């Protein structure tokens, strides 16, 4: 029997990894509402329901990934992928996925905050882009540890502000849930269970890049029970927020064309007329964009900084310039528009990640963590029975 103290430690470790997943998930794309509109609200009630399917699929894939990393000690993405496939060269596929992720996630994030700054404070679009580039470059060059430590609190802030929006809408909003349900086939373009289900699979697939974040902290898991708890906690938190925010956006589909809005939550706040809430939302999205930008740019630094310095050397100015270059390229791509980036870029990423991440995590990693496989190949590890 597991001792109470061990159960407590297991729960704490599981919650920590669940927070990593949620913190990665609830970035600017979700906070703006654009992703939720594109992948769920456009499909009506079937789409909202299938958000649960997406999170269940992702939770199962992440459980296999976490437990694989724990057993085989693959605490970075490259070693995880090489160990799963049994071949070193396959890690190049993640580089492709990483580049597409940067263009879509960073481009969409920069577009979102630059547009918000323009609408709320009348700041020129490209000046807004410049502010993001400068702040992110300085953080990457000089404040990386501070940003890393604050990531969990960033998640709390984003979730808190989104919760406030939900409460304000419930009290003061002009939602029409019954009308939205009755007229969903008229108001929305793709109300279909098969389409909604496939959209959910693609959403789970492009979100599966969180495997890279999860593998780096999987060493915190003491046993298989902790990995299961992390997957369950992550599923509950992510699924609950997606359903709540999805229903909120869906309830406006019979009021105005909210699915046509590039920044749907901002448009709702404008309808409510609470300037303080709108400003708090814009500031929160700005910080979320910085957090996302720093996270992805560090991935870029890890891959490309070796071209101009040794791993142990410090070159903050060169690092900052490289980050600025990455962000400027993404900013240029962002002029495509956040809706186009989300609907096209993330969909491409979803198709890429299906054979690279989702399928291998479920079937290959899933097989290699089974007790039968471990026993057959004489692989000794702790915590499998806990």
């Amino acid at each position: 029997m597991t001792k109470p103290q061990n159960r407590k430690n297991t729960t704490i470790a599981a919650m920590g990894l669940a927070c990593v997943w949620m913190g990665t998930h609830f970035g600017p794309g979700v906070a703006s509402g654009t992703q939720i509109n594109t992948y769920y609200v456009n499909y009506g009630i079937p789409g909202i329901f299938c958000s649960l399917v997406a999170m269940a699929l992702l939770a199962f894939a992440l459980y296999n990934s976490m437990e694989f990393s724990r057993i085989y000690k693959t605490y970075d993405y490259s070693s995880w992928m090489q160990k799963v496939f049994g071949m070193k060269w396959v890690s190049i596929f993640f580089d492709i996925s990483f580049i597409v992720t940067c263009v879509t996630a960073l481009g969409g994030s920069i577009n979102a905050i630059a547009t918000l700054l323009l609408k709320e404070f009348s700041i020129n679009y490209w000046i807004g882009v410049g502010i993001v580039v400068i702040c992110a470059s300085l953080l990457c060059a000089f404040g990386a540890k501070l940003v890393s430590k604050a990531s969990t609190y960033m998640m709390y802030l984003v979730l808190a502000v989104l919760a406030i929006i939900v409460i304000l809408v419930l009290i003061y909003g002009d939602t029409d849930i019954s009308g939205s349900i009755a007229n969903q086939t008229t108001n929305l373009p793709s109300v279909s269970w098969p389409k909604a289900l496939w959209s959910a699979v693609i959403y789970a697939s492009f979100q599966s890049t969180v495997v890279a974040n999860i593998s780096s902290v999987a060493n915190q898991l003491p046993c298989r029970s902790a990995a299961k708890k992390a997957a369950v906690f992550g599923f509950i938190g992510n699924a609950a927020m997606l359903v709540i925010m999805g229903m909120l956006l869906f309830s406006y589909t019979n009021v105005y064309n909210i699915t046509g809005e590039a920044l749907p939550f901002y448009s709702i706040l404008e309808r409510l007329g609470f300037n303080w809430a709108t400003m708090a939302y814009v500031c929160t999205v700005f910080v979320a964009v910085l957090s996302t930008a720093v996270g992805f740019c560090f991935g870029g630094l890890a891959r490309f900084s070796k071209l101009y310095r040794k791993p142990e050397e410090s070159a903050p100015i060169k690092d900052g310039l490289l980050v600025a270059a990455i962000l400027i390229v993404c900013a240029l791509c962002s002029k495509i528009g956040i809706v186009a980036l989300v609907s096209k870029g993330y969909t491409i990423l979803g198709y890429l990640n299906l054979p690279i991440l989702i399928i291998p995590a479920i079937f290959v990693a899933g097989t290699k963590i089974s007790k039968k496989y471990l026993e057959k190949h004489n692989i000794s590890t702790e915590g499998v029975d806990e």
Side-chain angles (χ1 to χ4, degrees):
M1 178 180 290
T2 305
K3 296 180 180 180
Q5 184 63 33
N6 289 341
R7 284 200 298 268
K8 181 179 178 181
N9 293 340
T10 297
T11 301
I12 291 173
M15 291 183 68
L17 264 75
C19 284
V20 171
W21 176 11
M22 291 184 69
T24 305
H25 185 191
F26 288 102
V30 173
S32 67
T34 311
Q35 285 183 16
I36 302 174
N37 263 349
T38 300
Y39 291 95
Y40 300 119
V41 178
N42 274 330
Y43 300 93
I45 292 299
I48 306 299
F49 178 83
C50 285
S51 66
L52 298 174
V53 177
M55 291 301 99
L57 177 63
L58 189 54
F60 185 54
L62 289 180
Y63 160 69
N64 288 335
S65 172
M66 287 184 282
E67 184 63 357
F68 186 91
S69 291
R70 187 187 72 83
I71 293 173
Y72 295 94
K73 296 179 172 35
T74 55
Y75 301 132
D76 64 87
Y77 186 82
S78 179
S79 61
W80 182 92
M81 198 163 194
Q82 290 175 19
K83 195 73 173 180
V84 168
F85 283 93
M87 297 174 286
K88 290 186 176 181
W89 61 269
V90 294
S91 59
I92 193 174
F93 289 118
F94 177 70
D95 291 329
I96 297 172
S97 177
F98 175 79
I99 291 170
V100 176
T101 302
C102 275
V103 171
T104 52
L106 287 182
S109 297
I110 292 171
N111 180 275
I113 191 58
T115 303
L116 283 172
L117 291 174
L118 174 63
K119 288 186 175 184
E120 187 63 19
F121 303 110
S122 299
I123 297 175
N124 177 272
Y125 181 90
W126 289 107
I127 292 177
V129 169
I131 292 172
V132 174
V133 171
I134 292 170
C135 290
S137 299
L138 291 174
L139 283 169
C140 279
F142 301 106
K145 292 183 179 179
L146 177 63
V147 174
S148 177
K149 290 180 180 178
S151 61
T152 299
Y153 297 101
M154 182 65 251
M155 179 200 70
Y156 292 149
L157 177 60
V158 172
L159 293 179
V161 171
L162 291 175
I164 290 172
I165 294 175
V166 172
I167 293 170
L168 289 175
V169 168
L170 290 176
I171 298 175
Y172 303 103
D174 54 343
T175 60
D176 182 12
I177 186 65
S178 59
S180 295
I181 294 173
N183 300 314
Q184 60 180 323
T185 55
T186 302
N187 297 329
L188 298 171
S190 305
V191 180
S192 161
W193 282 99
K195 289 182 180 179
L197 183 60
W198 183 243
S199 179
V201 171
I202 294 299
Y203 186 87
S205 183
F206 78 71
Q207 287 288 347
S208 66
T209 49
V210 73
V211 164
N213 304 64
I214 292 293
S215 65
S216 66
V217 292
N219 58 342
Q220 299 176 24
L221 296 170
C223 59
R224 178 161 293 188
S225 174
K228 290 179 180 178
K229 287 182 179 180
V232 171
F233 292 157
F235 168 77
I236 293 172
N238 283 288
M241 287 302 296
L242 278 182
V243 170
I244 291 170
M245 292 189 294
M247 285 301 297
L248 185 148
L249 293 173
F250 174 73
S251 66
Y252 273 101
T253 55
N254 200 51
V255 179
Y256 72 107
N257 184 27
I258 191 169
T259 56
E261 295 285 337
L263 302 166
F265 281 126
Y266 181 80
S267 70
I268 290 175
L269 286 172
E270 284 188 314
R271 291 179 68 87
L272 293 176
F274 292 102
N275 292 332
W276 62 269
T278 305
M279 291 185 65
Y281 172 75
V282 173
C283 292
T284 300
V285 173
F286 179 78
V287 178
V289 167
L290 285 183
S291 179
T292 299
V294 170
F296 278 110
C297 286
F298 262 89
L301 285 177
R303 284 166 173 75
F304 305 118
S305 62
K306 61 184 179 182
L307 297 176
Y308 57 82
R309 65 172 171 86
K310 294 180 180 179
E312 65 274 9
E313 290 180 344
S314 176
I317 294 178
K318 291 181 179 179
D319 287 350
L321 290 174
L322 176 57
V323 168
I326 293 172
L327 290 174
I328 289 171
V329 171
C330 292
L332 293 173
C333 294
S334 78
K335 279 306 286 181
I336 298 172
I338 188 172
V339 174
L341 280 169
V342 168
S343 62
K344 302 298 183 184
Y346 280 152
T347 299
I348 292 171
L349 184 61
Y351 280 102
L352 279 173
N353 283 352
L354 268 176
I356 295 173
L357 291 172
I358 288 289
I359 294 175
I362 291 175
F363 294 102
V364 184
T367 298
K368 291 186 176 182
I369 66 173
S370 67
K371 293 181 182 179
K372 183 178 180 180
Y373 182 92
L374 296 174
E375 291 173 358
K376 180 179 179 180
H377 292 82
N378 296 317
I379 299 173
S380 178
T381 187
E382 297 180 355
V384 172
D385 296 319
E386 295 184 38

